[in-house]
Amino acid sequence: MSTDDFDLSQPELTTDDLLVLDDPHFGPETVAVVTGAASGIGRATTVALAANGLTVVAADIDETGLDGTVEEADDLDAPGTIHAVPTDLTDDDDVAAMVDAAAEAGDLRFVANIAGMQHIASIPDFPMEKYDLLLDIMLRAPFLTAKLAMPHIREADGYGAIGNMSSAHGHYATQDKAAYITAKHGLNGLTKCIAAEGEGTLRGFSVSVGYVLTPLMVNQIEDTAEERGISEQEVVEDVMLGQARTKEMMTPAEVANLFVFGFSRHGKHLNGGDMLWDGGYTTTYE
């Protein structure tokens, strides 16, 4: 059985999908950095922040994908400006250039560390070069980005937030995803550290969701099926949605809206905490 038996296409983004809020800091003078901005949740978050009128530095190693993100925002008539900044998150100089570009574009207040990747293998079979790459992209780069961005946020009167893309796998573990799970647990710790040093107005928060209709998720279905010796449909129905109470996958726009809310004035008490929207995956049990 193949994925043709169920719909795994990423839904088309529309303006009706996006949360748009009235916020004194949501305007063209405010800059947000979004990593992983070329596709999936990163693209949706970039467009959502632009829809709220912010200036967004969209960072990704995929330059063609970044062009697509800018085009999608233009198609939706998003009022904010998007600056595409090609960035290799494993290169410290690239990360520094990304943050510098944001600081030069206005008041850097918000960072969305979203970039991620996956590799499916058991711990004994897990290639160390893949482990190192996943940890570099999903834990080291967010730390370095926060290290470089926090002084700029403080210069902009200290009001802002760093949002980290965690996961249901930041709360519990399943087999064959050890590097991803290790990175997400570490990212939750980094979130708390940002809150501890942020003086209350520079906040840290994380977003944890279950399975989202993104290219990253679709690409791992075949790998999981092969690793576990089951069909691709069984991966979706039993592995991905089996324990969840809400029997549908989230869309990238729904996740992007959590970042918009977290950055806004409505999220002022969200500091060091995690926005867990996983359909009951980690909180219920049979």
Side-chain angles (χ1 to χ4, degrees):
M1 196 165 288
S2 74
T3 52
D4 291 338
D5 297 306
F6 39 87
D7 185 11
L8 289 176
S9 58
Q10 186 170 319
E12 182 179 352
L13 187 64
T14 70
T15 53
D16 290 340
D17 297 322
L18 301 176
L19 178 66
V20 177
L21 298 173
D22 181 15
D23 189 284
H25 291 104
F26 282 11
E29 71 286 346
T30 294
V31 181
V33 171
V34 180
T35 69
S39 65
I41 296 169
R43 173 179 286 189
T45 301
T46 299
V47 174
L49 292 171
N52 278 275
L54 280 75
T55 297
V56 187
V57 165
D60 203 293
I61 200 169
D62 179 3
E63 296 187 37
T64 301
L66 287 177
D67 291 340
T69 299
V70 174
E71 290 172 7
E72 187 157 11
D74 289 342
D75 289 343
L76 297 180
D77 295 321
T81 300
I82 298 175
H83 298 290
V85 179
T87 306
D88 179 354
L89 292 174
T90 68
D91 185 316
D92 288 3
D93 290 338
D94 267 21
V95 174
M98 172 189 75
V99 174
D100 287 345
E104 291 168 4
D107 294 333
L108 174 54
R109 294 187 184 277
F110 305 121
V111 174
N113 286 309
I114 294 176
M117 64 176 297
Q118 183 62 277
H119 185 80
I120 306 297
S122 66
I123 292 172
D125 295 329
F126 211 100
M128 286 310 300
E129 64 273 15
K130 286 291 187 181
Y131 178 91
D132 292 339
L133 180 59
L134 264 70
L135 269 290
D136 280 349
I137 290 173
M138 292 192 292
L139 190 55
R140 189 182 188 280
F143 180 91
L144 179 57
T145 301
K147 168 185 170 66
L148 298 174
M150 288 174 72
H152 291 294
I153 297 172
R154 290 188 170 114
E155 289 173 7
D157 71 24
Y159 181 91
I162 297 174
N164 295 316
M165 187 72 246
S166 187
S167 169
H169 283 103
H171 294 261
Y172 79 124
T174 57
Q175 66 190 53
D176 303 325
K177 297 180 180 179
Y180 186 90
I181 291 164
T182 298
K184 294 305 186 182
H185 276 72
L187 200 58
N188 289 347
L190 174 61
T191 296
K192 296 178 177 69
C193 293
I194 293 168
E197 297 186 18
E199 294 89 37
T201 57
L202 195 174
R203 296 179 292 110
F205 68 89
S206 56
V207 173
S208 291
V209 298
Y211 291 93
V212 184
L213 277 171
T214 66
L216 177 66
M217 184 282 299
V218 173
N219 288 342
Q220 71 178 275
I221 292 174
E222 183 178 347
D223 293 340
T224 301
E226 182 178 353
E227 183 72 20
R228 298 195 181 191
I230 59 178
S231 71
E232 294 177 7
Q233 183 159 353
E234 286 174 311
V235 172
V236 174
E237 294 180 350
D238 299 333
V239 178
M240 291 184 167
L241 296 178
Q243 192 170 310
R245 293 300 180 263
T246 304
K247 296 298 184 182
E248 61 182 88
M249 294 185 186
M250 289 184 74
T251 66
E254 289 173 322
V255 185
N257 290 338
L258 298 179
F259 280 95
V260 170
F261 180 86
F263 289 144
S264 78
R265 60 189 172 89
H266 303 289
K268 66 181 179 180
H269 293 289
L270 176 63
N271 200 7
D274 179 70
M275 300 177 76
L276 177 62
W277 287 48
D278 70 344
Y281 210 106
T282 63
T283 55
T284 58
Y285 176 78
E286 284 185 348

